[in-house]
Amino acid sequence: MKTIVIAGGTDGIGKALAATRLEGGDTVVVIGRNEVKGKAFLDAAEQLGARDRAYFLPADLGLLAENERVLASLRARFPVIDTLVFCARFYRSERTETAEGLEENFALFYLSRYLFGHGLADALEGAEQPVVVNVAGPGAGLGVVRWDDLQLRRGYHGGAALGQGGKLNDLLGVSFAERHGDRGIRYVLIHPGVTSTSFAGEYDAGTLGQIAAMQAQAKPVSAALPPILAAIDGPPAQALSAFVEGTRISVERSGFDRGAARRLEEATEQLLRDRRGAPRGAAPEAAPGIDLS
Ligand SMILES: NC(=O)c1ccc[n+]([C@@H]2O[C@H](COP(=O)([O-])OP(=O)(O)OC[C@H]3O[C@@H](n4cnc5c(N)ncnc54)[C@H](OP(=O)(O)O)[C@@H]3O)[C@@H](O)[C@H]2O)c1
């Protein structure tokens, strides 16, 4: 049986995955902000007789301090983690900054995944078939990245923020595989296709209309699970793989450029150094550590 951590496991694809793996006998940790959804997961686990294998960690993963707090708790409670799944995202039609002064999409959709992957690599290395499953939108070209304005201060659009976030996660996969591939950890990027989930977000009227149209065409959540389950149960042999709706795409094409991945990693490390050195002025006080005992 595996230990699976699902960031964004309280709703949508992450929630369905959490329920499936709990039913299958795994230990499942879900992370999200909404305590009601978290309690529903724990209640369902109770019904299943699996309460001792179910954990809910309330956290806003858009905040660096919250990521650090959750990572510390996970490392303390789970010396070995088999599977790490990224499903957290939140669409915003208007550009918004976190209390720590970072653009929300960049912080949640990319930076949190960066911190979690590298921050739990030691725990993953201890597993028999360790895998990171990054559910995002692999495959776009590098043109969607605004290298001189990664936090989209100029000309923000919610769709562009999501598109760039997907590309940054592709490049994160490339640099993660370079750094940790020889430790046996597999990194799998998965585009689930348009799926009927909560599409959590704050939408303007125009985008709301588009979302309603997408929802009408979208596949059920259960149809998005098989490629994710396949990656968990039989991680690919390659350090990095990418799939769009279950079909493998090449990670040798230009969208997975190693130079671009190193450039992004350097920019990210610099940003994190700057943030950690900076006084936490406007940031909220970190909540107390989570007791997972
Ligand atoms: N659905 C699609 O059509 C589609 C298409 C392409 C790619 N994807 C990718 O698939 C993944 C899952 O998408 P989905 O549609 O299943 O998402 P969803 O239904 O909108 O659920 C999003 C999850 O993220 C969590 N979340 C949002 N903001 C958070 C924050 N600040 N801190 C912590 N957790 C947060 C939510 O939990 P709380 O509400 O508890 O905070 C929820 O569990 C995403 O990475 C998405 O990019 C989806």
Side-chain angles (χ1 to χ4, degrees):
M1 290 301 121
K2 295 178 187 290
T3 296
I4 302 191
V5 174
I6 308 173
T10 53
D11 214 332
I13 296 169
K15 176 184 173 184
L17 179 67
T20 301
R21 298 309 301 210
L22 202 61
E23 279 163 26
D26 290 330
T27 294
V28 180
V29 183
V30 301
I31 307 164
R33 290 164 305 174
N34 188 308
E35 306 254 358
V36 175
K37 295 180 192 173
K39 186 171 179 312
F41 170 69
L42 296 178
D43 288 348
E46 183 89 55
Q47 296 274 316
L48 196 67
R51 183 60 188 81
D52 57 329
R53 295 186 281 109
Y55 299 84
F56 166 57
L57 271 61
D60 181 348
L61 296 179
L63 294 169
L64 297 178
E66 290 276 277
N67 279 278
E68 282 163 12
R69 175 176 68 90
V70 170
L71 286 170
S73 299
L74 287 169
R75 283 190 289 254
R77 176 63 182 84
F78 301 107
V80 174
I81 292 171
D82 297 270
T83 308
L84 183 54
V85 183
F86 300 131
C87 278
R89 65 97 179 253
F90 193 87
Y91 187 98
R92 289 180 191 273
S93 288
E94 297 290 326
R95 184 180 186 278
T96 315
E97 290 192 353
T98 67
E100 295 171 337
L102 295 172
E103 192 277 314
E104 290 260 12
N105 281 283
F106 179 79
L108 175 66
F109 194 28
Y110 166 65
L111 211 46
S112 170
R113 296 179 186 210
Y114 182 95
L115 292 169
F116 260 68
H118 294 308
L120 294 177
D122 288 347
L124 286 159
E125 189 180 12
E128 226 169 274
Q129 288 189 305
V131 62
V132 179
V133 181
N134 188 335
V135 186
L142 280 170
V144 298
V145 179
R146 289 199 217 155
W147 289 105
D148 61 341
D149 185 22
L150 283 176
Q151 296 190 54
L152 307 179
R153 290 187 172 83
R154 297 182 297 278
Y156 176 90
H157 185 281
L162 220 53
Q164 173 175 271
K167 189 73 260 165
L168 299 186
N169 277 300
D170 285 356
L171 298 176
L172 168 57
V174 173
S175 53
F176 186 96
E178 275 198 357
R179 253 163 86 171
H180 305 294
D182 62 359
R183 303 168 76 183
I185 308 170
R186 298 299 172 240
Y187 205 97
V188 185
L189 293 153
I190 289 189
H191 190 324
V194 180
T195 308
S196 182
T197 63
S198 71
F199 283 91
E202 286 173 9
Y203 298 97
D204 57 27
T207 314
L208 258 185
Q210 290 169 13
I211 293 295
M214 276 169 68
Q215 286 273 23
Q217 304 289 323
K219 63 174 147 191
V221 171
S222 58
L225 291 189
I228 301 173
L229 295 170
I232 295 172
D233 290 326
Q238 300 80 359
L240 175 67
S241 316
F243 297 86
V244 176
E245 296 195 75
T247 301
R248 182 186 283 272
I249 61 168
S250 168
V251 293
E252 297 306 324
R253 57 207 222 182
S254 63
F256 296 86
D257 181 72
R258 286 181 170 69
R262 281 191 204 115
R263 182 179 182 187
L264 178 63
E265 182 165 38
E266 277 163 25
T268 307
E269 285 297 325
Q270 184 61 49
L271 180 144
L272 290 171
R273 274 195 298 277
D274 291 349
R275 306 297 308 179
R276 285 172 180 143
R280 286 252 166 93
E285 255 182 50
I290 300 166
D291 183 5
L292 283 171
S293 54

